[in-house]
Amino acid sequence: MHSRVNAIRVKPGQRELYRKMLQDEVEQVQALEPRDKTLNDYFMQDMNDANTFLMFAVFRDEAAFDEHVASAHYQHYVRQTKALGIERERIGSWRATNIVPSEKDWH
């Protein structure tokens, strides 16, 4: 199991555009990536700071994560953020393993 939690802050003038781009990316993940490899992919906005976004993703293993990062839709998202000059400030990123539910109980 390979989990990722990211917190990213964007400039206020870029908030809505970034929100739309990230929403599109998560919808592509849900539509295109095998559910036995990308187990969950969530996108949230901080209730106390609208310029901060939280992403939570769970992958079957490191190889599934590597496939996700190499996918055409993810690479499009990366190119798009760079081309539009969206400045992301990564305020945290964690790799984690599941405790509850255990890896064998994950659905």
Side-chain angles (χ1 to χ4, degrees):
M1 188 92 36
H2 180 93
S3 302
R4 290 276 175 150
V5 178
N6 292 310
I8 295 177
R9 184 176 296 120
V10 298
K11 290 184 176 181
Q14 299 174 322
R15 178 178 58 229
E16 290 308 313
L17 178 58
Y18 186 73
R19 178 184 171 136
K20 174 71 172 116
M21 289 171 50
L22 195 54
Q23 181 177 345
D24 290 347
E25 166 57 15
V26 171
E27 289 171 355
Q28 290 290 304
V29 167
Q30 292 172 347
L32 300 173
E33 294 189 12
R35 299 313 298 163
D36 65 333
K37 291 184 178 184
T38 303
L39 305 177
N40 277 315
D41 194 24
Y42 297 110
F43 158 50
M44 297 159 273
Q45 190 170 19
D46 189 311
M47 292 175 66
N48 296 314
D49 179 0
N51 298 316
T52 298
F53 296 92
L54 307 167
M55 283 77 60
F56 172 65
V58 179
F59 302 91
R60 181 184 64 206
D61 52 26
E62 190 86 24
F65 171 73
D66 291 342
E67 286 179 37
H68 164 74
V69 172
S71 69
H73 59 84
Y74 183 80
Q75 290 301 311
H76 173 74
Y77 158 76
V78 170
R79 284 190 307 273
Q80 193 177 29
T81 57
K82 287 179 182 178
L84 293 172
I86 291 178
E87 296 182 28
R88 300 178 300 156
E89 174 193 359
R90 186 174 303 273
I91 55 177
S93 181
W94 301 267
R95 288 181 58 200
T97 58
N98 268 24
I99 296 173
V100 177
S102 67
E103 290 191 19
K104 69 178 180 57
D105 294 329
W106 189 264
H107 301 265

